[in-house]
């Protein structure tokens, strides 16, 4: 019987899977996939830093929003979801308001597709103070339809 992990064909059906989140900064970042969303737990993300997420399955991003953690210590920052160097979302505004929710105003759909095994999904922070927040990336599974 095949293992039920992110390399199996049915991995996207599982309820919860941790995924790789690496940062070029000092903070410890973590991420997981659950129910059509990638939830990124951002901790002490400093000025002009990048979090790289590895997508274990092929997905298309359909929404992005952020939530400032209670006592997150964010003075002012923006975070943008990118595919390599190309923006997928507009910048999310993150300030020192606990629980502030900021949603993208646009998804650039021609840049919103990520292949399985890609390390192209990036959260890029602006040149502002460090802080703690969540980023939630909603996606749909990419399906291939023969003859379409």
């Amino acid at each position: 019987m095949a293992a039920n992990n992110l390399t199996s064909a049915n991995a996207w059906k599982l309820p919860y899977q941790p995924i790789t989140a690496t940062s070029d900064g000092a903070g410890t970042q973590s991420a997981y996939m659950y129910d059509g969303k990638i939830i990124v737990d951002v901790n002490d993300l400093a000025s002009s830093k990048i979090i790289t997420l590895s997508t274990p399955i092929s997905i298309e991003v359909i929404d992005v929003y952020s939530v400032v953690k209670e006592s997150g210590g964010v003075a002012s920052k923006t975070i943008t979801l990118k595919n390599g160097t190309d923006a997928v979302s507009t910048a999310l505004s993150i300030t020192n308001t606990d629980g502030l929710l900021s949603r993208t105003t646009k998804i650039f759909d021609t840049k919103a597709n990520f292949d399985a095994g890609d390390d192209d999904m990036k959260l890029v922070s602006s040149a502002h103070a460090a802080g703690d927040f969540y980023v939630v990336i909603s996606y749909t599974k990419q399906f291939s339809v023969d003859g379409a």
Side-chain angles (χ1 to χ4, degrees), residues 2-138:
N4 222 358
N5 60 39
L6 289 179
T7 59
S8 72
N10 292 319
W12 68 277
K13 296 178 184 176
L14 297 176
Y16 165 88
Q17 289 293 326
I19 63 172
T20 303
T22 57
S23 174
D24 62 354
T28 302
Q29 320 312 329
S30 60
Y32 60 92
M33 298 178 88
Y34 177 76
D35 195 29
K37 293 177 179 53
I38 296 173
I39 295 91
V40 186
D41 185 357
V42 180
N43 296 287
D44 198 28
L45 185 65
S47 175
S48 301
K49 296 302 179 188
I50 299 171
I51 299 172
T52 301
L53 303 168
S54 180
T55 52
I57 60 173
S58 296
I59 63 171
E60 180 178 358
V61 173
I62 56 175
D63 191 18
V64 182
Y65 64 92
S66 63
V67 181
V68 176
K69 293 181 184 180
E70 187 172 339
S71 302
V74 181
S76 177
K77 177 183 286 297
T78 62
I79 194 95
T80 304
L81 178 65
K82 293 191 174 188
N83 187 340
T85 58
D86 297 319
V88 173
S89 72
T90 53
L92 306 172
S93 177
I94 300 167
T95 65
N96 62 356
T97 305
D98 292 348
L100 176 72
L101 186 133
S102 177
R103 180 167 255 119
T104 187
T105 58
K106 184 171 183 172
I107 295 291
F108 301 99
D109 61 343
T110 60
K111 306 297 181 190
N113 293 296
F114 296 88
D115 292 329
D118 270 358
D119 287 333
D120 294 338
M121 184 178 283
K122 299 183 184 305
L123 292 169
V124 180
S125 72
S126 61
H128 295 91
D132 304 334
F133 50 94
Y134 298 101
V135 175
V136 180
I137 303 163
S138 298

